[in-house]
Amino acid sequence: MRKAIFIERDGILNHCKIENGMQIQPAFAVDFRIKTEAVEPLMRLKDAGFLIIVITNQPGISRGYVFWQELELMHKRLKESFPIDDIYVCPHDETDECGCMKPKPGLFIDAIYKWKILLRDSFVISDKWQDANVARALGITSVMINSPFLHNCRHDFLVNNLKEAVDKVLYLKEHKKRYRLVSYDNCENRIRFTIGDA
């Protein structure tokens, strides 16, 4: 079994415009700008033995203003810039009612089975409430980067930037301490997911 970092794409690995309080995902590869300051933190995670798995919602594909060819060019640049093992994409809009659009766990579950991931040694890094909700549902420790897109979500740790998130992950790995919140509302709705946790 392997340990992994599940990481959000937009705003963490690439720059996004903010309009009316909303994050605008780039539609064309020419507008896709890598966050070069994220390279070193991800290298540290890779050196520590983590798989790096990007999971991203891209509803622009369903809505018709992002094309698969452009997305593939963006992700080619991501893989050239970062030590990424895999990228999972939900191309759907909310109205499609799919099982893969975060906060639904479909893409996480696909990655967990494919890569044989041990959940108790893995982490979610993101700046969005959807990822925190998936982490909570699957029992993965969440290290959230403070942003307007968290919306008071439940999470395990809150930090200011990606470097601090990686510092936290590596500290927890080194000291083998796992801190879980136990004061969730509606705990009966948590998914009991046991792959690799026996």
Side-chain angles (χ1 to χ4, degrees):
M1 303 297 286
R2 308 179 71 178
K3 56 183 179 290
I5 301 295
F6 299 96
I7 192 165
E8 161 68 340
R9 190 196 85 167
D10 294 309
I12 306 295
L13 303 181
N14 61 277
H15 293 275
C16 289
K17 295 180 180 178
I18 305 295
E19 295 181 5
N20 299 320
M22 300 288 291
Q23 200 174 62
I24 307 300
Q25 301 158 324
F28 300 99
V30 68
D31 299 320
F32 190 75
R33 295 189 299 122
I34 296 292
K35 281 195 165 186
T36 56
E37 65 271 23
V39 174
E40 190 271 339
L42 260 65
M43 287 301 302
R44 292 173 61 205
L45 291 171
K46 193 66 178 175
D47 290 344
F50 286 98
L51 293 167
I52 308 295
I53 297 177
V54 177
I55 299 186
T56 178
N57 288 343
Q58 296 298 320
I61 293 175
S62 179
R63 295 168 188 168
Y65 60 80
V66 177
F67 299 100
W68 275 112
Q69 297 92 326
E70 293 292 324
L71 190 68
E72 288 170 359
L73 288 173
M74 296 181 211
H75 289 175
K76 181 175 183 289
R77 289 188 56 200
L78 274 185
K79 289 181 176 179
E80 291 170 348
S81 302
F82 299 105
I84 292 170
D85 293 285
D86 217 340
I87 301 176
Y88 288 79
V89 177
C90 171
H92 302 111
D93 182 86
E94 292 88 345
T95 59
D96 293 326
E97 298 183 355
C98 67
C100 59
M101 189 177 202
K102 300 182 291 186
K104 292 181 180 177
L107 293 181
F108 284 76
I109 293 172
D110 289 346
I112 289 161
Y113 275 104
K114 175 182 176 180
W115 291 95
K116 297 179 173 58
I117 292 168
L118 186 63
L119 300 187
R120 66 172 178 244
D121 290 338
S122 298
F123 297 85
V124 169
I125 296 177
S126 178
D127 63 347
K128 297 179 180 66
W129 67 268
Q130 292 92 336
D131 293 286
N133 281 18
V134 177
R136 174 189 170 194
L138 297 181
I140 307 171
T141 300
S142 61
V143 182
M144 308 307 293
I145 298 171
N146 198 14
S147 82
F149 313 113
L150 290 180
H151 301 313
N152 298 315
C153 66
R154 303 288 188 183
H155 54 268
D156 294 310
F157 298 97
L158 183 66
V159 297
N160 294 311
N161 52 55
L162 181 59
K163 179 184 179 301
E164 289 186 11
V166 171
D167 288 343
K168 179 63 69 175
V169 167
L170 296 180
Y171 175 86
L172 294 172
K173 174 182 178 290
E174 180 68 22
H175 294 271
K176 301 185 185 301
K177 293 178 181 178
R178 307 312 306 274
Y179 302 90
R180 302 296 304 172
L181 296 178
V182 294
S183 59
Y184 295 137
D185 296 326
N186 301 317
C187 279
E188 66 275 11
N189 292 329
R190 290 190 69 190
I191 297 171
R192 294 196 177 278
F193 200 85
T194 59
I195 290 179
D197 284 346

